[in-house]
mmCIF file of all heavy atoms in Angstrom:
data_model
loop_
_atom_site.group_PDB
_atom_site.id
_atom_site.type_symbol
_atom_site.label_atom_id
_atom_site.label_comp_id
_atom_site.label_asym_id
_atom_site.label_seq_id
_atom_site.Cartn_x
_atom_site.Cartn_y
_atom_site.Cartn_z
ATOM 1 N N LEU A 1 10.066 -67.386 -4.321
ATOM 2 C CA LEU A 1 10.530 -68.787 -4.091
ATOM 3 C C LEU A 1 10.271 -69.597 -5.372
ATOM 4 O O LEU A 1 9.408 -69.345 -6.111
ATOM 5 C CB LEU A 1 9.715 -69.402 -2.948
ATOM 6 C CG LEU A 1 9.721 -68.792 -1.570
ATOM 7 C CD1 LEU A 1 8.915 -69.627 -0.547
ATOM 8 C CD2 LEU A 1 11.164 -68.647 -1.023
ATOM 9 N N ASP A 2 11.159 -70.571 -5.525
ATOM 10 C CA ASP A 2 10.978 -71.585 -6.613
ATOM 11 C C ASP A 2 11.595 -72.843 -6.119
ATOM 12 O O ASP A 2 12.771 -72.920 -5.669
ATOM 13 C CB ASP A 2 11.645 -71.090 -7.868
ATOM 14 C CG ASP A 2 11.279 -71.976 -9.067
ATOM 15 O OD1 ASP A 2 10.137 -72.508 -9.097
ATOM 16 O OD2 ASP A 2 12.136 -72.088 -9.990
ATOM 17 N N TYR A 3 10.849 -73.894 -6.206
ATOM 18 C CA TYR A 3 11.298 -75.279 -5.739
ATOM 19 C C TYR A 3 11.848 -75.206 -4.354
ATOM 20 O O TYR A 3 12.859 -75.803 -4.015
ATOM 21 C CB TYR A 3 12.394 -75.807 -6.699
ATOM 22 C CG TYR A 3 11.814 -76.243 -8.057
ATOM 23 C CD1 TYR A 3 12.176 -75.482 -9.124
ATOM 24 C CD2 TYR A 3 10.990 -77.304 -8.178
ATOM 25 C CE1 TYR A 3 11.633 -75.773 -10.388
ATOM 26 C CE2 TYR A 3 10.532 -77.589 -9.456
ATOM 27 C CZ TYR A 3 10.801 -76.858 -10.585
ATOM 28 O OH TYR A 3 10.296 -77.172 -11.834
ATOM 29 N N GLY A 4 11.233 -74.405 -3.510
ATOM 30 C CA GLY A 4 11.589 -74.315 -2.093
ATOM 31 C C GLY A 4 12.658 -73.410 -1.700
ATOM 32 O O GLY A 4 13.019 -73.243 -0.578
ATOM 33 N N ARG A 5 13.281 -72.791 -2.727
ATOM 34 C CA ARG A 5 14.428 -71.941 -2.473
ATOM 35 C C ARG A 5 14.080 -70.457 -2.767
ATOM 36 O O ARG A 5 13.339 -70.205 -3.617
ATOM 37 C CB ARG A 5 15.621 -72.361 -3.402
ATOM 38 C CG ARG A 5 16.190 -73.732 -3.103
ATOM 39 C CD ARG A 5 17.332 -74.116 -4.002
ATOM 40 N NE ARG A 5 17.888 -75.407 -3.714
ATOM 41 C CZ ARG A 5 18.917 -75.920 -4.334
ATOM 42 N NH1 ARG A 5 19.487 -75.248 -5.328
ATOM 43 N NH2 ARG A 5 19.337 -77.160 -4.000
ATOM 44 N N LYS A 6 14.725 -69.626 -1.991
ATOM 45 C CA LYS A 6 14.566 -68.187 -2.246
ATOM 46 C C LYS A 6 15.437 -67.786 -3.445
ATOM 47 O O LYS A 6 16.670 -67.975 -3.426
ATOM 48 C CB LYS A 6 14.926 -67.365 -1.026
ATOM 49 C CG LYS A 6 14.679 -65.873 -1.190
ATOM 50 C CD LYS A 6 14.774 -65.132 0.093
ATOM 51 C CE LYS A 6 16.276 -64.931 0.491
ATOM 52 N NZ LYS A 6 16.392 -63.959 1.621
ATOM 53 N N ILE A 7 14.853 -67.217 -4.457
ATOM 54 C CA ILE A 7 15.573 -66.901 -5.618
ATOM 55 C C ILE A 7 15.679 -65.368 -5.857
ATOM 56 O O ILE A 7 16.527 -64.881 -6.713
ATOM 57 C CB ILE A 7 15.033 -67.542 -6.976
ATOM 58 C CG1 ILE A 7 13.543 -67.033 -7.077
ATOM 59 C CG2 ILE A 7 15.165 -69.028 -6.817
ATOM 60 C CD1 ILE A 7 12.973 -67.538 -8.448
ATOM 61 N N ALA A 8 14.876 -64.572 -5.088
ATOM 62 C CA ALA A 8 14.991 -63.106 -5.313
ATOM 63 C C ALA A 8 14.388 -62.473 -4.026
ATOM 64 O O ALA A 8 13.503 -63.016 -3.386
ATOM 65 C CB ALA A 8 14.192 -62.636 -6.538
ATOM 66 N N ASP A 9 14.887 -61.240 -3.724
ATOM 67 C CA ASP A 9 14.446 -60.504 -2.553
ATOM 68 C C ASP A 9 14.725 -59.058 -2.806
ATOM 69 O O ASP A 9 15.874 -58.626 -3.033
ATOM 70 C CB ASP A 9 15.221 -60.997 -1.331
ATOM 71 C CG ASP A 9 14.720 -60.366 0.025
ATOM 72 O OD1 ASP A 9 14.081 -59.334 -0.046
ATOM 73 O OD2 ASP A 9 15.035 -60.968 1.033
ATOM 74 N N GLY A 10 13.643 -58.223 -2.852
ATOM 75 C CA GLY A 10 13.843 -56.826 -3.108
ATOM 76 C C GLY A 10 12.535 -56.154 -3.367
ATOM 77 O O GLY A 10 11.482 -56.559 -2.894
ATOM 78 N N THR A 11 12.554 -54.922 -3.959
ATOM 79 C CA THR A 11 11.316 -54.233 -4.275
ATOM 80 C C THR A 11 10.581 -54.957 -5.320
ATOM 81 O O THR A 11 11.096 -55.884 -5.996
ATOM 82 C CB THR A 11 11.651 -52.803 -4.799
ATOM 83 O OG1 THR A 11 12.344 -52.906 -6.094
ATOM 84 C CG2 THR A 11 12.473 -52.020 -3.806
ATOM 85 N N PHE A 12 9.331 -54.591 -5.565
ATOM 86 C CA PHE A 12 8.525 -55.263 -6.598
ATOM 87 C C PHE A 12 9.147 -55.099 -7.938
ATOM 88 O O PHE A 12 9.219 -56.043 -8.742
ATOM 89 C CB PHE A 12 7.088 -54.633 -6.666
ATOM 90 C CG PHE A 12 6.238 -55.202 -7.739
ATOM 91 C CD1 PHE A 12 5.581 -56.417 -7.681
ATOM 92 C CD2 PHE A 12 6.179 -54.492 -8.952
ATOM 93 C CE1 PHE A 12 4.883 -56.936 -8.661
ATOM 94 C CE2 PHE A 12 5.395 -55.047 -10.002
ATOM 95 C CZ PHE A 12 4.717 -56.244 -9.850
ATOM 96 N N ALA A 13 9.684 -53.912 -8.235
ATOM 97 C CA ALA A 13 10.278 -53.632 -9.555
ATOM 98 C C ALA A 13 11.567 -54.503 -9.725
ATOM 99 O O ALA A 13 11.743 -55.093 -10.822
ATOM 100 C CB ALA A 13 10.708 -52.156 -9.671
ATOM 101 N N GLU A 14 12.353 -54.643 -8.656
ATOM 102 C CA GLU A 14 13.542 -55.500 -8.749
ATOM 103 C C GLU A 14 13.218 -56.949 -8.950
ATOM 104 O O GLU A 14 13.840 -57.593 -9.757
ATOM 105 C CB GLU A 14 14.378 -55.291 -7.471
ATOM 106 C CG GLU A 14 15.005 -53.900 -7.341
ATOM 107 C CD GLU A 14 15.548 -53.665 -5.974
ATOM 108 O OE1 GLU A 14 15.177 -54.386 -5.012
ATOM 109 O OE2 GLU A 14 16.298 -52.739 -5.762
ATOM 110 N N VAL A 15 12.277 -57.452 -8.149
ATOM 111 C CA VAL A 15 11.952 -58.870 -8.213
ATOM 112 C C VAL A 15 11.230 -59.258 -9.507
ATOM 113 O O VAL A 15 11.482 -60.291 -10.099
ATOM 114 C CB VAL A 15 11.154 -59.311 -6.942
ATOM 115 C CG1 VAL A 15 10.667 -60.739 -7.095
ATOM 116 C CG2 VAL A 15 12.006 -59.112 -5.692
ATOM 117 N N SER A 16 10.265 -58.409 -9.961
ATOM 118 C CA SER A 16 9.528 -58.707 -11.141
ATOM 119 C C SER A 16 10.330 -58.689 -12.369
ATOM 120 O O SER A 16 10.005 -59.302 -13.404
ATOM 121 C CB SER A 16 8.349 -57.722 -11.272
ATOM 122 O OG SER A 16 8.823 -56.372 -11.451
ATOM 123 N N SER A 17 11.505 -58.001 -12.339
ATOM 124 C CA SER A 17 12.361 -57.992 -13.510
ATOM 125 C C SER A 17 13.597 -58.947 -13.415
ATOM 126 O O SER A 17 14.398 -58.989 -14.282
ATOM 127 C CB SER A 17 12.919 -56.561 -13.780
ATOM 128 O OG SER A 17 13.672 -56.104 -12.614
ATOM 129 N N ASP A 18 13.638 -59.672 -12.316
ATOM 130 C CA ASP A 18 14.772 -60.587 -12.097
ATOM 131 C C ASP A 18 14.612 -61.780 -13.041
ATOM 132 O O ASP A 18 13.565 -62.429 -13.209
ATOM 133 C CB ASP A 18 14.725 -61.065 -10.662
ATOM 134 C CG ASP A 18 15.986 -61.890 -10.287
ATOM 135 O OD1 ASP A 18 16.155 -62.954 -10.856
ATOM 136 O OD2 ASP A 18 16.709 -61.421 -9.422
ATOM 137 N N VAL A 19 15.673 -62.116 -13.804
ATOM 138 C CA VAL A 19 15.681 -63.190 -14.760
ATOM 139 C C VAL A 19 15.283 -64.512 -14.144
ATOM 140 O O VAL A 19 14.541 -65.295 -14.719
ATOM 141 C CB VAL A 19 17.021 -63.312 -15.407
ATOM 142 C CG1 VAL A 19 17.125 -64.555 -16.319
ATOM 143 C CG2 VAL A 19 17.385 -62.071 -16.254
ATOM 144 N N ARG A 20 15.700 -64.783 -12.885
ATOM 145 C CA ARG A 20 15.398 -66.044 -12.274
ATOM 146 C C ARG A 20 13.897 -66.158 -11.970
ATOM 147 O O ARG A 20 13.271 -67.242 -12.080
ATOM 148 C CB ARG A 20 16.152 -66.224 -10.967
ATOM 149 C CG ARG A 20 17.672 -66.360 -11.139
ATOM 150 C CD ARG A 20 18.401 -66.209 -9.833
ATOM 151 N NE ARG A 20 18.241 -64.891 -9.311
ATOM 152 C CZ ARG A 20 18.690 -64.431 -8.109
ATOM 153 N NH1 ARG A 20 19.437 -65.310 -7.377
ATOM 154 N NH2 ARG A 20 18.456 -63.240 -7.701
ATOM 155 N N VAL A 21 13.254 -65.033 -11.620
ATOM 156 C CA VAL A 21 11.847 -65.032 -11.374
ATOM 157 C C VAL A 21 11.055 -65.261 -12.636
ATOM 158 O O VAL A 21 10.081 -66.008 -12.689
ATOM 159 C CB VAL A 21 11.399 -63.694 -10.670
ATOM 160 C CG1 VAL A 21 9.904 -63.657 -10.429
ATOM 161 C CG2 VAL A 21 12.115 -63.569 -9.301
ATOM 162 N N ILE A 22 11.469 -64.538 -13.712
ATOM 163 C CA ILE A 22 10.802 -64.740 -15.066
ATOM 164 C C ILE A 22 10.954 -66.124 -15.495
ATOM 165 O O ILE A 22 9.975 -66.735 -15.984
ATOM 166 C CB ILE A 22 11.394 -63.742 -16.053
ATOM 167 C CG1 ILE A 22 11.183 -62.303 -15.629
ATOM 168 C CG2 ILE A 22 10.859 -63.968 -17.441
ATOM 169 C CD1 ILE A 22 11.936 -61.254 -16.402
ATOM 170 N N GLU A 23 12.067 -66.761 -15.317
ATOM 171 C CA GLU A 23 12.245 -68.169 -15.678
ATOM 172 C C GLU A 23 11.356 -69.050 -14.873
ATOM 173 O O GLU A 23 10.778 -70.035 -15.405
ATOM 174 C CB GLU A 23 13.723 -68.579 -15.490
ATOM 175 C CG GLU A 23 14.740 -68.030 -16.525
ATOM 176 C CD GLU A 23 16.159 -68.505 -16.209
ATOM 177 O OE1 GLU A 23 16.383 -69.116 -15.148
ATOM 178 O OE2 GLU A 23 16.950 -68.241 -17.110
ATOM 179 N N ALA A 24 11.252 -68.800 -13.578
ATOM 180 C CA ALA A 24 10.366 -69.639 -12.682
ATOM 181 C C ALA A 24 8.964 -69.658 -13.158
ATOM 182 O O ALA A 24 8.234 -70.632 -13.190
ATOM 183 C CB ALA A 24 10.503 -69.130 -11.286
ATOM 184 N N TYR A 25 8.425 -68.444 -13.680
ATOM 185 C CA TYR A 25 7.010 -68.385 -14.132
ATOM 186 C C TYR A 25 6.853 -68.789 -15.534
ATOM 187 O O TYR A 25 5.806 -69.421 -15.876
ATOM 188 C CB TYR A 25 6.547 -66.896 -13.922
ATOM 189 C CG TYR A 25 6.129 -66.611 -12.512
ATOM 190 C CD1 TYR A 25 6.937 -65.915 -11.605
ATOM 191 C CD2 TYR A 25 4.824 -66.963 -12.054
ATOM 192 C CE1 TYR A 25 6.468 -65.619 -10.308
ATOM 193 C CE2 TYR A 25 4.375 -66.706 -10.809
ATOM 194 C CZ TYR A 25 5.210 -66.023 -9.920
ATOM 195 O OH TYR A 25 4.785 -65.704 -8.620
ATOM 196 N N LEU A 26 7.783 -68.461 -16.418
ATOM 197 C CA LEU A 26 7.568 -68.551 -17.797
ATOM 198 C C LEU A 26 8.466 -69.583 -18.486
ATOM 199 O O LEU A 26 8.258 -69.980 -19.633
ATOM 200 C CB LEU A 26 7.687 -67.220 -18.548
ATOM 201 C CG LEU A 26 6.765 -66.062 -18.068
ATOM 202 C CD1 LEU A 26 7.084 -64.798 -18.760
ATOM 203 C CD2 LEU A 26 5.291 -66.503 -18.282
ATOM 204 N N GLY A 27 9.536 -69.985 -17.812
ATOM 205 C CA GLY A 27 10.502 -70.970 -18.400
ATOM 206 C C GLY A 27 11.627 -70.208 -19.047
ATOM 207 O O GLY A 27 11.558 -69.043 -19.413
ATOM 208 N N LYS A 28 12.733 -70.964 -19.215
ATOM 209 C CA LYS A 28 13.983 -70.318 -19.734
ATOM 210 C C LYS A 28 13.762 -69.871 -21.227
ATOM 211 O O LYS A 28 14.339 -68.913 -21.725
ATOM 212 C CB LYS A 28 15.115 -71.329 -19.716
ATOM 213 C CG LYS A 28 15.565 -71.603 -18.258
ATOM 214 C CD LYS A 28 16.791 -72.542 -18.254
ATOM 215 C CE LYS A 28 17.257 -72.707 -16.833
ATOM 216 N NZ LYS A 28 18.474 -73.623 -16.775
ATOM 217 N N GLY A 29 12.933 -70.565 -21.951
ATOM 218 C CA GLY A 29 12.674 -70.305 -23.369
ATOM 219 C C GLY A 29 12.118 -68.899 -23.487
ATOM 220 O O GLY A 29 12.419 -68.161 -24.412
ATOM 221 N N ALA A 30 11.217 -68.483 -22.546
ATOM 222 C CA ALA A 30 10.614 -67.161 -22.559
ATOM 223 C C ALA A 30 11.704 -66.047 -22.353
ATOM 224 O O ALA A 30 11.613 -65.022 -22.964
ATOM 225 C CB ALA A 30 9.510 -67.035 -21.554
ATOM 226 N N VAL A 31 12.620 -66.359 -21.464
ATOM 227 C CA VAL A 31 13.696 -65.373 -21.209
ATOM 228 C C VAL A 31 14.566 -65.197 -22.456
ATOM 229 O O VAL A 31 14.843 -64.093 -22.850
ATOM 230 C CB VAL A 31 14.578 -65.818 -20.025
ATOM 231 C CG1 VAL A 31 15.707 -64.877 -19.805
ATOM 232 C CG2 VAL A 31 13.661 -65.881 -18.783
ATOM 233 N N LYS A 32 14.979 -66.334 -23.115
ATOM 234 C CA LYS A 32 15.791 -66.169 -24.324
ATOM 235 C C LYS A 32 14.981 -65.512 -25.460
ATOM 236 O O LYS A 32 15.594 -64.739 -26.138
ATOM 237 C CB LYS A 32 16.175 -67.625 -24.750
ATOM 238 C CG LYS A 32 17.081 -68.294 -23.789
ATOM 239 C CD LYS A 32 17.422 -69.739 -24.303
ATOM 240 C CE LYS A 32 18.330 -70.429 -23.296
ATOM 241 N NZ LYS A 32 18.621 -71.808 -23.713
ATOM 242 N N ALA A 33 13.707 -65.768 -25.519
ATOM 243 C CA ALA A 33 12.878 -65.128 -26.561
ATOM 244 C C ALA A 33 12.790 -63.624 -26.357
ATOM 245 O O ALA A 33 12.792 -62.897 -27.321
ATOM 246 C CB ALA A 33 11.532 -65.710 -26.604
ATOM 247 N N GLY A 34 12.799 -63.228 -25.044
ATOM 248 C CA GLY A 34 12.687 -61.852 -24.709
ATOM 249 C C GLY A 34 14.027 -61.132 -25.020
ATOM 250 O O GLY A 34 14.028 -59.893 -25.236
#
């Protein structure tokens, strides 16, 4: 969840590698840097 909305649903591997989830935790800058 992020800001009350569901942004990902799946296995741990799928969700932990989802770009939207990474952005929610680390910010868009972290995704671009990666």
Side-chain angles (χ1 to χ4, degrees):
L1 300 181
D2 191 32
Y3 292 108
R5 296 182 179 180
K6 185 171 75 171
I7 58 173
D9 186 339
T11 65
F12 176 82
E14 291 167 342
V15 172
S16 62
S17 61
D18 190 294
V19 171
R20 293 167 298 178
V21 176
I22 297 170
E23 287 181 350
Y25 275 101
L26 301 177
K28 293 184 178 181
V31 175
K32 292 178 181 178

